[in-house]
Amino acid sequence: METIKVAILGFGTVGQGIYHILNEKKQQFKEQLGYEVEVAKILVTNAERERVPGTKHLLTKDINEVLAVPGLQVVFEAIVNEEPAYSYLKAAVQQKCHVITANKVMFAKRGEE
């Protein structure tokens, strides 16, 4: 079965919620989409602090590590403020990743771009 690799940028309340939903609905996604969904990387400001048990190996502070994931297809963005969220999403789009954002400030200011 093919795998959709995703990354989460920001791992506060919203980012953790995305992570939990992706894991809770894993079987449903497999049945409805015919694909496995795998969280491949999580971008955080402090990679030493494991917020959710079992995620430490996914944590990174470096957006380049996120964008270097082979086969990365989807980036969920849950960062507060316009920057660096906009720069990160722009880089992801340039790599042909689909992006999903919860960042209303960034989208309101830069959505046209």
Side-chain angles (χ1 to χ4, degrees):
M1 178 166 290
E2 289 188 55
T3 301
I4 297 173
K5 290 188 179 184
V6 306
I8 301 171
L9 310 183
F11 208 46
T13 302
V14 174
Q16 288 178 37
I18 293 166
Y19 178 81
H20 289 302
I21 289 169
L22 291 173
N23 282 309
E24 289 167 9
K25 305 270 184 191
K26 196 169 247 184
Q27 186 61 36
Q28 184 179 343
F29 292 142
K30 187 191 284 189
E31 291 169 5
Q32 291 180 341
L33 303 174
Y35 294 97
E36 300 259 349
V37 176
E38 173 193 344
V39 177
K41 279 288 178 199
I42 301 170
L43 184 74
V44 294
T45 54
N46 180 356
E48 300 303 313
R49 188 173 144 239
E50 184 179 40
R51 293 145 183 87
V52 175
T55 60
K56 188 159 177 70
H57 68 288
L58 300 173
L59 304 180
T60 182
K61 297 185 329 183
D62 186 353
I63 188 63
N64 294 314
E65 272 188 50
V66 173
L67 297 175
V69 170
L72 182 66
Q73 293 174 280
V74 180
V75 173
F76 290 92
E77 184 272 317
I79 298 173
V80 177
N81 294 324
E82 181 180 354
E83 283 296 342
Y86 174 76
S87 298
Y88 293 167
L89 289 185
K90 185 174 181 180
V93 168
Q94 289 171 338
Q95 282 197 209
K96 308 239 186 295
C97 290
H98 299 276
V99 298
I100 301 162
T101 183
N103 190 327
K104 295 180 258 337
V105 171
M106 184 274 306
F107 193 76
K109 291 182 178 180
R110 307 297 283 270
E112 290 264 336
E113 294 175 52

